[in-house]
């Protein structure tokens, strides 16, 4: 009988078909995948059993199960506030941006020429933030408001003149911000002092003010700022962007740094995230900004072009000199927030803010007239009401009417209005307080008279040109068309695992039952979420061999920090607080050392040998030297060199024997899932990157989720949250479950792959990397290999000799690949002068061969440079990439043909990607730092 069952999802997720897989195996010289894996993966780390996961569900079944979970969440009107406000994502943005793979599958814009669309969108975001906060330089997103505040705290300490170690926090700061500040401050020796800021702040290096406050109170901080500056301290304002359309900007009342969330600019709650936080700074602090900063430069033809400024890779994560560990940020959400501002324009935003404010005023007026006490006379959107002993009853009465309010204490309830608040909601709230029948009267605004918003904002034409839906649709399309994302071609980035982000995985995240849940909604309203999170944490524990997982960290970097805090707390609990040395191999990702510094550890670098492995002799020496103070080793496995180090179990044993803990950076878990488990082969803790191994799309540089996974002895030290039962370690993210809103993606992936599918994916990823290595090896030397001459899930090709002989650099190859329609591999990491390629399991043989063909053709071009057939400097490699404008110019001064420039392979004649700018001058942009939308004249010839 013919098999009538549908092919499993894994056959959709895994690119190569079985016959293709056979051809690839043949090329690599193996009979079967099992044989290949048996040679490639060291026996010592192999997992004994298959993963204990439920049998794979079909796409239809998985969606049905997710529907069931979603139905267990209850969507109420949320008037909880506290940094999270309901908002309308304009449908044109939801459908054509958030739900559009042209946007969400893009990578971080390290290759600026193929990222002009999202870079422009991020520049819009920076302009919004800079204009509204009244500070000249804004970055392209931080992880959440609380961690942004923590970054501002450390920035103030670095940049300020004060010798104090005290950071003063406004008593009216959001609770999650206070908690994250405490987590971050303690290991760095910073003392937090909470203060009502009624007079001058106590002696300190910095002060954080919340504007408006958590209680809704909106106050003038001019005197506080002046007093702080007088004493040599910097002022940080945590500000609400929507409020800033109506009241004075932080930059105008004396803030040096502004931070906050852009969530209410069109981004759903998602049970806490992901949302883009922002930071802006005054002149003079821009080189201290953490995270990425988009700037304007010029291309080879002198036209304006965007790129990431002030960093060869990431200026702030320079190993032990690091000042921040932020890598993956919240790009997709920043793009949405920026587009929300583009769509509404300054007048639209002011109208929305005004509407929010008028509803809050009406709400307060009705309560007052009913005899209730409204605590603050001046507020923007949040009304604090005193109801002695009745707070819980009011909350219950509101919930009965379908509205969530916030209980501050037994005697106080706060009510936050937002873009969706209307007369019906106000009436329900009145009723909940026992003030039924109150009527809206024309009370005066409740904004402080001393804080008028006088400066203009969003004057740039981009905020005035796209207000009709047609114009918005075309603007989104025009920007999307400039970029290469996974919807065009493979993105062969080592260490970043740009695999399929399946449509079925993506679908649920915009369902209201997942998108519209406030992170502080009552637990029973999020029952579906809690089950989904619990299940996902259990599955990840099974996959990694650890005992407990927390999904709170909202990027890999934050998972690292959380893991190291767990190690630190464990040593302290054992009376070994002197253990503060963290060993890190020289090949490690920059975030590792940065996280260690943030966790109060001292970084000691361990050398790698010529094969790229941890140098055991050096490890022994370093362990010996720091035996009594050894806290941990952080190793990436498989290593960033793309090989399975044979000695990993030995490395673990040596560190354990000296009393240290082993942290395995799980960014490369795509080489291990189903085959080996870090928690079983000797590690104590890992972070994973759900935006690498578990299919959350890269979003052009975020969002991500970086769960931290630990063995039992560290389980008591995972990140807590002020809203949950106390644990010894505080939260690392603002929201209790971090970026919960995108967890359905990873849940769906695991659910649809099952044990066999996940293992097959890993095997295919290894086979594909080895296939590429084998095919490229005759043309480019492959730098590191392990047993049997095999690599793991990625390979590094070495151009250093080629560069020496011909002058052609990795940059030239990367930019020439654009002419061939490809995103470049990872450049010069972890070894300068090399390219790291990770094909992932999702690319089929045709696509892999297309890439190989391009790389071989480029090698041919390099040979022509070497032989003198091509000019040493005026050749297609050095001049790459070629725009349509440049190859159709009336003048063509180059010694090679236009067709060689544009169509080096015949296959490119169909579906050619035309890059929008020529090669970008990085140095020019850093010398002439421009980080907000340039005036239109800049685009004139
Ligand atoms: C991506 C990566 C990280 C950082 O993760 P983010 O999510 O970007 O913060 C850390 N280590 C390695 C090896 C990585 O590849």
């Amino acid at each position: 009988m013919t098999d009538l069952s549908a092919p499993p999802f894994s056959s959709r997720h895994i690119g190569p078909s079985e016959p293709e897989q056979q051809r690839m195996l043949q090329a690599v010289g193996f009979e079967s995948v099992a044989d290949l894996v048996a040679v490639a993966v060291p026996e010592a780390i192999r997992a004994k059993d298959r993963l204990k996961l439920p049998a794979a569900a079909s796409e239809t079944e998985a969606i049905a199960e997710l529907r069931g979970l979603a139905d267990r969440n209850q969507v109420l009107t949320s008037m909880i506030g506290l940094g999270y406000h309901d908002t309308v994502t304009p449908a044109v943005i939801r459908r054509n941006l958030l739900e559009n793979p042209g946007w969400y599958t893009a990578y971080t814009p390290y290759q600026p020429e193929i990222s002009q669309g999202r870079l422009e969108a991020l520049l819009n975001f920076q302009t919004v933030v800079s204009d509204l906060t009244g500070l000249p330089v804004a970055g392209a997103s931080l992880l959440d408001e609380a961690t942004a505040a923590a970054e501002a705290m450390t920035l103030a300490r670095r940049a300020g003149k004060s010798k104090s170690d005290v950071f003063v926090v406004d008593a009216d700061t959001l609770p999650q911000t206070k908690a994250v500040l405490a987590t971050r401050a303690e290991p760095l020796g910073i003392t937090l002092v909470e203060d009502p800021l009624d007079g001058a702040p106590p002696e300190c290096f910095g002060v954080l003010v919340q504007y408006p406050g958590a209680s809704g109170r909106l106050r003038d901080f001019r005197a506080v700022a002046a007093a702080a500056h007088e004493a040599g301290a910097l002022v940080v304002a945590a500000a609400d962007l929507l409020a800033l359309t109506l009241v004075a900007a932080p930059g105008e009342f004396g803030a040096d740094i502004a931070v906050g969330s852009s969530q209410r600019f069109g981004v759903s709650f998602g049970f806490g995230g992901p949302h883009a936080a922002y930071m802006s700074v005054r002149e003079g602090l821009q080189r201290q900004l953490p995270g990425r900063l988009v700037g304007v430069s010029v291309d080879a033809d002198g036209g304006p072009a965007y790129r990431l400024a002030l960093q060869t890779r990431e200026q702030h994560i320079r190993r032990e000199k690091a000042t921040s560990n932020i890598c993956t940020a919240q790009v997709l959400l920043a793009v949405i927030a920026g587009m929300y501002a583009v769509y509404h324009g300054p007048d639209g935003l002011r109208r929305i803010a005004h509407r929010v404010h008028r509803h809050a005023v009406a709400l307060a007026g009705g309560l007052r007239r009913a005899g209730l006490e409204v605590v603050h006379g001046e507020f923007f959107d949040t009304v604090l009401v005193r109801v002695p002993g009745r707070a819980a009853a009011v909350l219950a009465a509101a919930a009965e009417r379908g509205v969530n309010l916030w209980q501050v204490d037994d005697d106080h309830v706060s009510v936050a209005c937002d873009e969706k608040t209307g007369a019906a909601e106000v009436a329900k709230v009145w009723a909940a307080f026992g003030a039924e029948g109150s009527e809206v009267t024309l009370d005066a605004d409740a904004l402080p008279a001393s804080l008028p918003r006088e400066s203009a904002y969003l004057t740039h034409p981009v905020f005035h040109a796209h207000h009709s839906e047609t114009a918005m649709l075309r603007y989104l399309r025009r920007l999307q068309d400039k970029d290469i994302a996974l919807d065009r071609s493979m993105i062969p980035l080592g260490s970043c695992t740009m695999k399929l982000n399946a449509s079925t995985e993506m679908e649920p995240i915009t369902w209201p039952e997942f998108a519209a849940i406030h992170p502080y909604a009552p637990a029973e309203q999020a029952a579906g979420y809690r089950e989904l999170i619990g299940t996902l944490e259990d599955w990840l524990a099974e996959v990694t061999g650890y005992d407990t997982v927390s999904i709170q960290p909202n990027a890999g970097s934050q998972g690292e920090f959380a893991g190291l805090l767990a190690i630190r707390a464990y040593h302290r609990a054992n009376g070994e607080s002197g253990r503060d040395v963290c060993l890190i191999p020289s090949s490690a990702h920059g975030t590792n050392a940065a996280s260690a510094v943030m966790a109060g550890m001292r970084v000691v670098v361990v050398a790698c040998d010529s094969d790229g492995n941890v140098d055991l002799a050096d490890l022994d020496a370093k362990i010996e030297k720091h035996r009594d103070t050894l806290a941990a080793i952080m190793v990436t496995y498989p290593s960033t060199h793309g090989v399975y180090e044979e000695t990993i179990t030995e490395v673990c044993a040596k560190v354990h024997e000296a009393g240290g803990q082993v942290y395995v950076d799980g960014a490369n878990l795509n080489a291990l899932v189903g085959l080996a488990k870090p928690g079983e082969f000797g590690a104590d803790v890992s972070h994973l990157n759900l935006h690498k191994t578990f299919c959350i799309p890269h979003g052009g540089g975020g969002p991500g989720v970086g769960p931290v996974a630990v063995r039992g002895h560290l389980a008591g030290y995972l990140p807590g949250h002020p809203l949950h039962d106390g644990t010894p370690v505080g939260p690392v993210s603002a929201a209790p479950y971090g970026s919960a809103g995108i967890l359905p993606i990873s849940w769906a992936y695991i659910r649809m792959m099952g044990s066999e599918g996940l293992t097959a994916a890993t095997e295919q990823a290894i086979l594909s990397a080895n296939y590429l290595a084998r095919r490229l090896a005759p043309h480019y030397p492959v730098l590191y290999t392990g047993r049997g001459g095999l690599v793991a899930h990625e390979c590094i090709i070495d151009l250093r000799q080629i560069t020496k002989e011909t002058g052609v650099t990795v940059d030239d190859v990367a930019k020439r690949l654009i002419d061939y329609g490809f995103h470049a591999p990872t450049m010069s990491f972890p070894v300068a002068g090399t390219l790291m390629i990770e094909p992932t399991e999702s690319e089929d043989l045709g696509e892999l061969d297309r890439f190989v063909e391009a790389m071989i053709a480029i090698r041919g071009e390099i040979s022509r440079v070497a032989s003198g057939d091509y000019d040493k400097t005026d050749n297609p490699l050095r001049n790459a990439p070629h725009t349509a404008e440049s190859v159709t110019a009336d003048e063509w001064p180059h010694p090679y043909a236009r067709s060689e420039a544009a169509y080096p392979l015949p296959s490119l004649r169909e579906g050619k990607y035309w890059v929008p700018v020529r090669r970008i001058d990085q140095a020019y942009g850093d010398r002439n730092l421009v980080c907000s939308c340039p005036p239109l004249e800049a685009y004139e010839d």
Side-chain angles (χ1 to χ4, degrees), residues 327-328 495 555-557 560 589 591 636 640 665 667 687 689 691-692:
C327 185
T328 290
S495 212
S557 59
E560 291 174 20
H589 194 275
T591 51
T636 304
T640 52
D665 179 327
H687 78 270
N689 301 63
H691 47 300
K692 295 178 181 174

Side-chain angles (χ1 to χ4, degrees), residues 540-566:
L540 293 174
E542 169 62 17
V543 165
T544 54
Y546 288 104
D547 296 304
T548 312
V549 172
S550 163
I551 52 75
Q552 189 189 86
N554 48 16
S557 59
Q558 306 309 298
E560 291 174 20
F561 178 58
L564 292 170
L565 286 182

